Amino acid sequence: MKKFLMLTLAVVSAPFSFAQDSFFPIWGEEAEARGYTLPKPYGLSLSYMDMSNPITVNSIGLTGAPLLEAIDVDANKADFSGSNITLRGDVWIFPFLNVYGILGYTRGESKAPINSVTCDPSGLNFGELIACGALNTANELGAFEGQTFTLDMEGGTYGVGTTIAGGVGDWFALVDMNYTYTSIKAIDGDIKTFVAAPRVGHRWQYDGGRELRLWVGAMYQDVQQYLSGNIADLIPELAGIVGDGGFEVQQSADDKWNGTAGFQYAFNRDWDILFEAGFGSRETLFVALGRRF
């Protein structure tokens, strides 16, 4: 992780000398002839995002033996908190169309309170019936009351995205869309995320290439989490009764939409900072430092 940060900072701060008469953006000269001020075509940005939101546990499956498959874990609501750091490279293909790639690292944790753990004795052999009965008795005695199952997630993230933008005068509107994939390393699994974020705002231009942009918007986020591992890492108390086995968990976000508001300030035509906050059932905080060439 430290090597990734050092390499990223070195890349972002290094002096580059791309030619100003770049092929991109296509139709850029025509747009500037009409009075539009365009950003430099290439960009690198380093960003950090913090997020917390409720999620739905769609399914919890236990595997490895008929007894495990007969167990039902009722824990359908969880709270997720996480963060990621990403390096993004982008290019304006047209004055209204930007495409980019994302490379980063994500950490997160979900905690779900356990409502009950029960066992269906149908089709089990004598030994499994004894364990099944012990489990149901433990549940009735409140052995799982107040317990939670916690999933720690971290791994590399990569993805692609695009931004479609337009404006009239100093007013602008855009839609940003991206798809990312995170491969979880501590336990088996992955997180697939699609994001679409429309925004509308106003800009103020100053001497020396300085510019301030303010906006409000919304964010649509479809998150699908698939995780698997050893049952002892999920519910140790259960593993003590039924023995070794595996688990498979599928989770998704409760609310796909939340509101956003933010600003971007360009110190000149080369450097800018961006801050955006999300509010609603999903709360986010996003900050980024960008360099254009």
Side-chain angles (χ1 to χ4, degrees):
M1 183 65 177
K2 290 183 179 179
K3 292 182 179 179
F4 173 77
L5 286 173
M6 294 175 63
L7 176 61
T8 299
L9 291 172
V11 171
V12 172
S13 60
F16 283 80
S17 58
F18 286 100
Q20 296 301 304
D21 54 344
S22 168
F23 176 76
F24 294 111
I26 301 171
W27 301 337
E29 292 183 359
E30 290 84 346
E32 291 180 334
R34 293 172 178 263
Y36 293 99
T37 302
L38 302 180
K40 291 184 177 181
Y42 308 101
L44 281 176
S45 64
L46 179 66
S47 64
Y48 171 84
M49 185 173 188
D50 187 88
M51 180 175 64
S52 62
N53 63 286
I55 60 177
T56 296
V57 182
N58 300 313
S59 66
I60 302 175
L62 304 182
T63 61
L67 173 61
L68 292 172
E69 294 170 4
I71 295 173
D72 176 59
V73 180
D74 181 8
N76 58 352
K77 293 295 181 181
D79 289 317
F80 174 83
S81 60
S83 62
N84 64 29
I85 183 169
T86 57
L87 177 66
R88 165 177 153 165
D90 73 271
V91 58
W92 284 97
I93 303 297
F94 295 99
F96 56 86
L97 179 66
N98 180 280
V99 296
Y100 58 88
I102 299 171
L103 179 65
Y105 196 83
T106 297
R107 287 182 175 177
E109 179 185 74
S110 70
K111 291 185 176 182
I114 298 173
N115 300 316
S116 65
V117 180
T118 57
C119 179
D120 180 4
S122 303
L124 299 180
N125 61 37
F126 180 74
E128 292 166 341
L129 285 172
I130 294 176
C132 185
L135 179 62
N136 287 329
T137 300
N139 181 69
E140 293 171 0
L141 293 175
F144 303 103
E145 185 175 345
Q147 299 296 321
T148 62
F149 80 76
T150 301
L151 294 172
D152 293 314
M153 299 164 262
E154 61 177 287
T157 298
Y158 53 92
V160 294
T162 184
T163 301
I164 303 173
V168 177
D170 288 324
W171 291 93
F172 66 90
L174 61 87
V175 177
D176 181 80
M177 297 175 287
N178 63 68
Y179 177 85
T180 59
Y181 177 88
T182 301
S183 178
I184 305 301
K185 67 176 186 178
I187 57 177
D188 294 332
D190 56 57
I191 303 174
K192 300 175 182 178
T193 306
F194 172 75
V195 174
R199 304 181 182 106
V200 60
H202 191 274
R203 69 174 183 169
W204 291 265
Q205 299 183 76
Y206 307 100
D207 295 336
R210 294 176 299 125
E211 182 176 305
L212 174 65
R213 294 186 174 213
L214 300 178
W215 65 80
V216 294
M219 179 182 293
Y220 171 88
Q221 192 173 92
D222 183 15
V223 180
Q224 300 294 329
Q225 299 178 354
Y226 173 79
L227 308 161
S228 63
N230 192 297
I231 192 175
D233 298 325
L234 184 69
I235 311 174
E237 296 80 7
L238 180 59
I241 298 174
V242 300
D244 292 334
F247 71 85
E248 296 179 350
V249 176
Q250 294 188 40
Q251 303 181 140
S252 60
D254 275 4
D255 297 319
K256 293 187 177 357
W257 287 96
N258 70 309
T260 61
F263 73 86
Q264 183 180 36
Y265 181 74
F267 299 98
N268 47 49
R269 285 178 53 80
D270 296 330
W271 291 95
D272 64 78
I273 58 171
L274 183 150
F275 174 91
E276 183 176 77
F279 45 89
S281 62
R282 179 174 61 246
E283 298 179 347
T284 58
L285 179 65
F286 180 83
V287 292
L289 173 66
R291 171 80 188 270
R292 303 217 63 83
F293 312 102

